[in-house]
Amino acid sequence: MKLKGIPVSPGVAIGDAFVLKSEVVSVPAYRISESKVPQEVKKFFDAILSTKRELRKIQERVAEDLGGTYPEIFSAHLLFLDDPILVEGTVELIEKERWNAEKSFDIVVKKVLHSFSSIPDEYLRGRALDLKDVARRVLKNLLGKGEESLSDLKKKAIVISYDLSPSQTASLDRDRVLAFATDVGGRSSHTAIMARALAIPAVVGLGDISKKVKSGDLIIVDGNKGVVFVNPASETLKSYTRKKRRMVYLQKVLSHLKDLPAETLDGHRVKLMANIELPKEVENLASYGGEGVGLFRTEFLFLNREVLPSEDEQFEVYHYVASKVYPEPVVIRTLDLGGDKFASPLEIPKEINPFMGWRAIRFCLARKDIFLAQLKAILRAGKQGNVKLMYPMISSINELRQANHFLQEAKEILQKEGKDFSQDIEVGVMIETPSAAIISDFLAGEVAFFSVGTNDLIQYAMAADRGNEKIAHLYQPAHPAILRLLKHIIDTGHSIGIPVAMCGEMAGDIHYTQLLLGMGLDQLSMGPVAIPQVKQVIRSVTYKETKALVEKVLKCSTQEEVKKILEKANQPFLKFFRRDGK
Ligand code: PEP
Ligand code: MG
C-alpha cells in the first residue's frame, strides 16, 4: 500500500509501525452514598495533582529539549487544572448530584467543550483540543491507568497516529522514534515543526493511515516526497534500503566539509546558511557547517498557545539565537502567519484563498500591536550586532515603507523607554511575489538585502498552489519563467549593490546548485541537513562553468529542456550521491 501525504520533514525511515490510538477513555457512571463524598472529592483532587505533576515533568523535558516558548503550551494546560469552572464544578456535582468523580468531571468538561464549539473560532477550537488533552490525562489518573505516552515505545519504531497532541510529542523518547506519519496536519502543525527541529522524517495529512496500519506492520516513510509505504513490495524495500544506506554513508563522508568554505575550484565563495524554526536548532548548526541563520521563521512563537508572546519573551528567544550564532548573522523574519500557517491564538478568519489573502506582512500592517511588539524585540536583540530583519510577502514599495514606518515608531518607543537597541539594524525583504520581483530595482534602492522565497514565488508565478498534489507538475523551479525571474532579481540586486540570498526549498536542492551559483546568488539558506551536499557540489565545480551553464539554460523555452541540460551537468554529482560505500 502506498499513501500520499504532505512532506513536512525530510529524510527516509524504514521500520515497524507503532500505532498510537487516540484512546477513548470509557467513563464509569454511578451514584455514591453521602458518606463516600469526601473520599470521592479527595480522589478527584489527587488525580488533579498527579496530572499537574505529569504536565510539569513534560514541561521540564520540553524546556530542555526544545527551549524557547515551547514549555508555554503546558502552562496553558496547567491553567485548566486550576480553573474554578472545571474544578469547583466537578466537586459540586460530586457533592450535590452524588455522581462518582469520573462522571462528574466528564459532565463538566463536556459542558465547557460544548460552549466552545458553539462559537466558530479557530482560537477556541485550539483551546478545545487542549482541554480534551488535559481531560484525558485527568480521567486516566482517576481510573488509575497512569500516564499514556510515547515513552511506552520499547524499541525503535515509526509512530503512526491520527495526530499528535503537544503533550504526546513532548513525552516521546526521541531516540526511539524513527519517523512520524499522521492522518491530519499541515506544514505548520505541531508535529511538523517538532519533527523538523528534531530532524526526524515526517509525512502528515495521510487521510486515515492510523486506521489502515497495525502496530508491527513494516513501514517506509519518505519525508522528501511525502509518501508512506505499508508492508512494501520487496523491490521497493530494497530500493529504499539502498537509499537509506546511501544517506548514512554520505553523511559520514561529507562530515569533514563542515569546517571548509563553500568555495568553487576557481575561488568564488558563497555563504551556506540554515533555515530554522525553533531556537534550539541553532545548537546543531556547526555540525552541518552552517554559517549563520539565513531564515529564522518566527511563527512558532505564536502557534499552539493561549496568549500572544510579549515583547520581552520574544526578545529572550531572538537574543538567545543571536548570541548562539554570533559572530555569524541571523536573519529574523517577521511574522508570516496565514497561508498555510494557522492554529494560533490570533483570530485570522477562514478565507477562500488563504495564500492570496490576509497573511504575513499584510496581517502585521493591520495588527500594529502585534507587529510593534515583534519589531521592538528584534531591535533589542539587534544590539548583539549580528541580527538582520526581514519582511515576508512584500508586494509593493508602499508596504515596505509602511513596515519601515512601524520600525521607526518601534525605535522611538524604545528610545523613550530607555531600552538598549540597534539603531542601524539591516532591513531586507523576501522576494516571493512576482510583483516584488518585477519591481526589484525600486525595492533594492530601499533595502539592505534580498532573500528569494522560491516556495511562494513559484506558486504565485505559476499560479499553482504549493500544497496541491493535483497540480504539482505545474509547480516547477525549472520553468523558464522562474529562471528569468531569478536572473532578474539577482542582477537587479547586484546592479544596485545589495547582496541577494535564497531561502526557499530550491536553495537546498542539489539539482539546482550549479544553476544558482552561476546566476550569482551570494547566500543559500536551507534546512541544515542539506548543507553538506550543497557544499560538496560547490567545491567540485568552477564558477566559470556554472556561468556558462546558466547562459545555456536561459535559452531554453521549456522546463524539460532545462532539466535535461541540468541533469547532464549534474551527472558527476548524482553519481557521487548515489554511492553507498559498498
Ligand atoms: C518561501 O516562500 O520560499 C519561504 C522561504 O517562506 P515560507 O516557506 O515560510 O513561506
Ligand atoms: Mg514564503
Side-chain angles (χ1 to χ4, degrees), residues 436-473:
I438 294 163
I439 59 157
S440 51
D441 52 337
F442 295 138
L443 286 168
E446 305 200 13
V447 295
F449 63 92
F450 284 160
S451 188
V452 187
T454 45
N455 305 346
D456 278 317
L457 184 62
I458 297 170
Q459 78 163 344
Y460 294 128
M462 300 301 302
D465 186 330
R466 67 197 238 186
N468 188 334
E469 257 316 296
K470 289 198 194 85
I471 46 158
H473 60 286

Short mmCIF file of all heavy atoms in Angstrom, two decimals, residues 436-473:
data_model
loop_
_atom_site.label_atom_id
_atom_site.label_comp_id
_atom_site.label_asym_id
_atom_site.label_seq_id
_atom_site.Cartn_x
_atom_site.Cartn_y
_atom_site.Cartn_z
N ALA A 436 7.00 41.84 -6.53
CA ALA A 436 8.26 42.28 -5.90
C ALA A 436 9.43 42.00 -6.83
O ALA A 436 10.35 42.81 -6.95
CB ALA A 436 8.46 41.57 -4.57
N ALA A 437 9.39 40.84 -7.50
CA ALA A 437 10.48 40.51 -8.41
C ALA A 437 10.56 41.53 -9.54
O ALA A 437 11.64 42.00 -9.91
CB ALA A 437 10.26 39.10 -8.98
N ILE A 438 9.41 41.90 -10.06
CA ILE A 438 9.39 42.80 -11.21
C ILE A 438 9.81 44.23 -10.83
O ILE A 438 10.45 44.92 -11.61
CB ILE A 438 7.98 42.76 -11.88
CG1 ILE A 438 7.77 41.36 -12.48
CG2 ILE A 438 7.85 43.82 -12.97
CD1 ILE A 438 6.34 41.03 -12.82
N ILE A 439 9.49 44.63 -9.61
CA ILE A 439 9.94 45.98 -9.19
C ILE A 439 11.18 45.89 -8.28
O ILE A 439 11.42 46.76 -7.44
CB ILE A 439 8.82 46.77 -8.46
CG1 ILE A 439 8.34 46.01 -7.21
CG2 ILE A 439 7.67 47.10 -9.39
CD1 ILE A 439 7.68 46.92 -6.17
N SER A 440 11.96 44.83 -8.48
CA SER A 440 13.10 44.66 -7.57
C SER A 440 14.09 45.80 -7.67
O SER A 440 14.82 46.07 -6.72
CB SER A 440 13.77 43.30 -7.79
OG SER A 440 14.05 43.10 -9.14
N ASP A 441 14.12 46.51 -8.80
CA ASP A 441 15.04 47.66 -8.89
C ASP A 441 14.61 48.76 -7.93
O ASP A 441 15.43 49.36 -7.24
CB ASP A 441 15.13 48.19 -10.33
CG ASP A 441 13.77 48.47 -10.94
OD1 ASP A 441 12.76 47.89 -10.47
OD2 ASP A 441 13.70 49.30 -11.87
N PHE A 442 13.30 49.00 -7.83
CA PHE A 442 12.82 50.02 -6.88
C PHE A 442 13.07 49.57 -5.45
O PHE A 442 13.51 50.34 -4.61
CB PHE A 442 11.32 50.29 -7.07
CG PHE A 442 10.98 50.90 -8.41
CD1 PHE A 442 9.87 50.47 -9.13
CD2 PHE A 442 11.76 51.93 -8.94
CE1 PHE A 442 9.55 51.03 -10.36
CE2 PHE A 442 11.45 52.49 -10.17
CZ PHE A 442 10.34 52.05 -10.88
N LEU A 443 12.76 48.30 -5.20
CA LEU A 443 12.92 47.79 -3.84
C LEU A 443 14.38 47.83 -3.39
O LEU A 443 14.69 48.19 -2.26
CB LEU A 443 12.39 46.35 -3.74
CG LEU A 443 10.86 46.18 -3.74
CD1 LEU A 443 10.48 44.72 -3.93
CD2 LEU A 443 10.25 46.71 -2.45
N ALA A 444 15.26 47.45 -4.32
CA ALA A 444 16.68 47.36 -3.97
C ALA A 444 17.22 48.69 -3.47
O ALA A 444 18.13 48.73 -2.64
CB ALA A 444 17.49 46.87 -5.16
N GLY A 445 16.66 49.78 -3.96
CA GLY A 445 17.11 51.10 -3.54
C GLY A 445 16.75 51.41 -2.10
O GLY A 445 17.27 52.35 -1.50
N GLU A 446 15.83 50.62 -1.52
CA GLU A 446 15.35 50.96 -0.17
C GLU A 446 15.64 49.89 0.87
O GLU A 446 15.15 49.97 1.99
CB GLU A 446 13.84 51.26 -0.22
CG GLU A 446 13.52 52.35 -1.24
CD GLU A 446 12.17 53.02 -1.03
OE1 GLU A 446 11.57 52.84 0.04
OE2 GLU A 446 11.74 53.72 -1.96
N VAL A 447 16.36 48.83 0.50
CA VAL A 447 16.66 47.77 1.48
C VAL A 447 18.15 47.41 1.45
O VAL A 447 18.87 47.77 0.52
CB VAL A 447 15.83 46.48 1.24
CG1 VAL A 447 14.35 46.73 1.45
CG2 VAL A 447 16.10 45.89 -0.14
N ALA A 448 18.55 46.63 2.47
CA ALA A 448 19.97 46.25 2.56
C ALA A 448 20.24 44.91 1.90
O ALA A 448 21.38 44.58 1.59
CB ALA A 448 20.39 46.20 4.02
N PHE A 449 19.22 44.08 1.71
CA PHE A 449 19.42 42.78 1.06
C PHE A 449 18.09 42.19 0.59
O PHE A 449 17.01 42.60 1.05
CB PHE A 449 20.12 41.78 2.00
CG PHE A 449 19.32 41.44 3.24
CD1 PHE A 449 18.47 40.37 3.28
CD2 PHE A 449 19.45 42.23 4.39
CE1 PHE A 449 17.74 40.06 4.42
CE2 PHE A 449 18.72 41.94 5.54
CZ PHE A 449 17.86 40.84 5.56
N PHE A 450 18.22 41.25 -0.34
CA PHE A 450 17.06 40.46 -0.80
C PHE A 450 17.25 39.01 -0.36
O PHE A 450 18.40 38.52 -0.31
CB PHE A 450 17.01 40.39 -2.33
CG PHE A 450 16.52 41.64 -3.02
CD1 PHE A 450 16.84 41.84 -4.37
CD2 PHE A 450 15.73 42.57 -2.37
CE1 PHE A 450 16.38 42.96 -5.05
CE2 PHE A 450 15.28 43.70 -3.05
CZ PHE A 450 15.61 43.90 -4.38
N SER A 451 16.14 38.32 -0.10
CA SER A 451 16.22 36.88 0.04
C SER A 451 15.04 36.30 -0.74
O SER A 451 13.88 36.65 -0.49
CB SER A 451 16.15 36.47 1.51
OG SER A 451 16.41 35.09 1.63
N VAL A 452 15.37 35.47 -1.72
CA VAL A 452 14.31 34.97 -2.60
C VAL A 452 13.60 33.78 -1.96
O VAL A 452 14.24 32.78 -1.59
CB VAL A 452 14.90 34.53 -3.97
CG1 VAL A 452 13.76 34.18 -4.93
CG2 VAL A 452 15.78 35.61 -4.55
N GLY A 453 12.29 33.90 -1.81
CA GLY A 453 11.48 32.81 -1.24
C GLY A 453 10.83 32.05 -2.38
O GLY A 453 9.72 32.37 -2.81
N THR A 454 11.54 31.03 -2.85
CA THR A 454 11.02 30.34 -4.04
C THR A 454 9.75 29.51 -3.75
O THR A 454 8.98 29.26 -4.65
CB THR A 454 12.08 29.38 -4.63
OG1 THR A 454 12.68 28.67 -3.55
CG2 THR A 454 13.13 30.15 -5.39
N ASN A 455 9.56 29.13 -2.49
CA ASN A 455 8.36 28.33 -2.20
C ASN A 455 7.11 29.10 -2.61
O ASN A 455 6.19 28.55 -3.21
CB ASN A 455 8.27 28.00 -0.70
CG ASN A 455 9.52 27.32 -0.19
OD1 ASN A 455 10.33 26.87 -0.99
ND2 ASN A 455 9.68 27.26 1.12
N ASP A 456 7.11 30.37 -2.26
CA ASP A 456 5.96 31.19 -2.64
C ASP A 456 6.10 31.76 -4.04
O ASP A 456 5.14 31.78 -4.81
CB ASP A 456 5.78 32.33 -1.64
CG ASP A 456 5.03 31.86 -0.40
OD1 ASP A 456 4.04 31.13 -0.56
OD2 ASP A 456 5.45 32.20 0.71
N LEU A 457 7.31 32.21 -4.38
CA LEU A 457 7.49 32.84 -5.70
C LEU A 457 7.03 31.89 -6.82
O LEU A 457 6.34 32.31 -7.76
CB LEU A 457 8.96 33.22 -5.91
CG LEU A 457 9.24 33.97 -7.21
CD1 LEU A 457 8.50 35.31 -7.25
CD2 LEU A 457 10.74 34.21 -7.40
N ILE A 458 7.37 30.62 -6.69
CA ILE A 458 6.99 29.68 -7.75
C ILE A 458 5.47 29.52 -7.78
O ILE A 458 4.85 29.55 -8.84
CB ILE A 458 7.68 28.31 -7.57
CG1 ILE A 458 9.20 28.47 -7.68
CG2 ILE A 458 7.18 27.29 -8.60
CD1 ILE A 458 10.02 27.25 -7.29
N GLN A 459 4.86 29.38 -6.59
CA GLN A 459 3.42 29.16 -6.61
C GLN A 459 2.65 30.36 -7.19
O GLN A 459 1.68 30.21 -7.91
CB GLN A 459 2.86 28.76 -5.25
CG GLN A 459 2.67 29.87 -4.25
CD GLN A 459 1.75 29.45 -3.10
OE1 GLN A 459 1.03 28.46 -3.18
NE2 GLN A 459 1.77 30.22 -2.02
N TYR A 460 3.14 31.57 -6.88
CA TYR A 460 2.43 32.74 -7.40
C TYR A 460 2.72 32.95 -8.89
O TYR A 460 1.83 33.32 -9.65
CB TYR A 460 2.83 34.00 -6.62
CG TYR A 460 2.38 33.97 -5.17
CD1 TYR A 460 3.28 34.22 -4.14
CD2 TYR A 460 1.05 33.68 -4.84
CE1 TYR A 460 2.86 34.19 -2.81
CE2 TYR A 460 0.64 33.65 -3.52
CZ TYR A 460 1.55 33.90 -2.51
OH TYR A 460 1.15 33.87 -1.20
N ALA A 461 3.97 32.71 -9.29
CA ALA A 461 4.31 32.93 -10.71
C ALA A 461 3.63 31.89 -11.59
O ALA A 461 3.20 32.20 -12.70
CB ALA A 461 5.81 32.89 -10.90
N MET A 462 3.53 30.66 -11.10
CA MET A 462 2.95 29.59 -11.90
C MET A 462 1.44 29.44 -11.66
O MET A 462 0.80 28.61 -12.29
CB MET A 462 3.62 28.24 -11.57
CG MET A 462 5.11 28.19 -11.81
SD MET A 462 5.55 28.53 -13.52
CE MET A 462 4.66 27.26 -14.37
N ALA A 463 0.91 30.22 -10.73
CA ALA A 463 -0.50 30.08 -10.33
C ALA A 463 -0.79 28.63 -9.96
O ALA A 463 -1.76 28.03 -10.40
CB ALA A 463 -1.44 30.56 -11.44
N ALA A 464 0.10 28.04 -9.16
CA ALA A 464 -0.04 26.65 -8.75
C ALA A 464 0.20 26.52 -7.25
O ALA A 464 1.33 26.69 -6.79
CB ALA A 464 0.95 25.77 -9.51
N ASP A 465 -0.86 26.29 -6.51
CA ASP A 465 -0.82 26.13 -5.06
C ASP A 465 0.30 25.16 -4.65
O ASP A 465 0.38 24.04 -5.14
CB ASP A 465 -2.19 25.58 -4.62
CG ASP A 465 -2.33 25.49 -3.12
OD1 ASP A 465 -1.31 25.29 -2.44
OD2 ASP A 465 -3.46 25.63 -2.64
N ARG A 466 1.18 25.63 -3.74
CA ARG A 466 2.35 24.82 -3.40
C ARG A 466 2.01 23.52 -2.67
O ARG A 466 2.85 22.63 -2.57
CB ARG A 466 3.35 25.66 -2.59
CG ARG A 466 2.89 26.06 -1.21
CD ARG A 466 3.75 27.21 -0.69
NE ARG A 466 4.41 26.89 0.57
CZ ARG A 466 5.13 27.76 1.28
NH1 ARG A 466 5.28 29.00 0.84
NH2 ARG A 466 5.68 27.42 2.40
N GLY A 467 0.77 23.43 -2.14
CA GLY A 467 0.43 22.21 -1.41
C GLY A 467 -0.54 21.31 -2.16
O GLY A 467 -1.02 20.31 -1.60
N ASN A 468 -0.88 21.64 -3.39
CA ASN A 468 -1.90 20.87 -4.11
C ASN A 468 -1.26 19.82 -5.03
O ASN A 468 -0.62 20.15 -6.04
CB ASN A 468 -2.77 21.83 -4.92
CG ASN A 468 -3.98 21.15 -5.53
OD1 ASN A 468 -3.96 19.94 -5.77
ND2 ASN A 468 -5.02 21.92 -5.78
N GLU A 469 -1.46 18.56 -4.65
CA GLU A 469 -0.85 17.45 -5.38
C GLU A 469 -1.26 17.38 -6.85
O GLU A 469 -0.47 17.05 -7.73
CB GLU A 469 -1.27 16.13 -4.71
CG GLU A 469 -0.20 15.52 -3.85
CD GLU A 469 1.15 15.56 -4.51
OE1 GLU A 469 1.33 14.91 -5.56
OE2 GLU A 469 2.05 16.25 -3.99
N LYS A 470 -2.53 17.73 -7.11
CA LYS A 470 -3.06 17.56 -8.47
C LYS A 470 -2.35 18.44 -9.49
O LYS A 470 -2.33 18.14 -10.68
CB LYS A 470 -4.55 17.89 -8.49
CG LYS A 470 -5.40 16.86 -7.79
CD LYS A 470 -6.86 17.01 -8.23
CE LYS A 470 -7.75 16.22 -7.31
NZ LYS A 470 -8.12 16.99 -6.10
N ILE A 471 -1.80 19.53 -9.00
CA ILE A 471 -1.14 20.43 -9.95
C ILE A 471 0.36 20.55 -9.66
O ILE A 471 1.02 21.49 -10.09
CB ILE A 471 -1.78 21.84 -9.93
CG1 ILE A 471 -2.00 22.30 -8.49
CG2 ILE A 471 -3.09 21.85 -10.71
CD1 ILE A 471 -2.11 23.77 -8.36
N ALA A 472 0.86 19.55 -8.92
CA ALA A 472 2.29 19.59 -8.55
C ALA A 472 3.17 19.63 -9.79
O ALA A 472 4.27 20.19 -9.76
CB ALA A 472 2.64 18.38 -7.69
N HIS A 473 2.70 19.08 -10.92
CA HIS A 473 3.51 19.08 -12.14
C HIS A 473 3.72 20.51 -12.67
O HIS A 473 4.62 20.76 -13.46
CB HIS A 473 2.86 18.20 -13.22
CG HIS A 473 1.49 18.66 -13.61
ND1 HIS A 473 0.39 18.49 -12.79
CD2 HIS A 473 1.04 19.30 -14.71
CE1 HIS A 473 -0.67 19.01 -13.40
NE2 HIS A 473 -0.31 19.50 -14.56
#
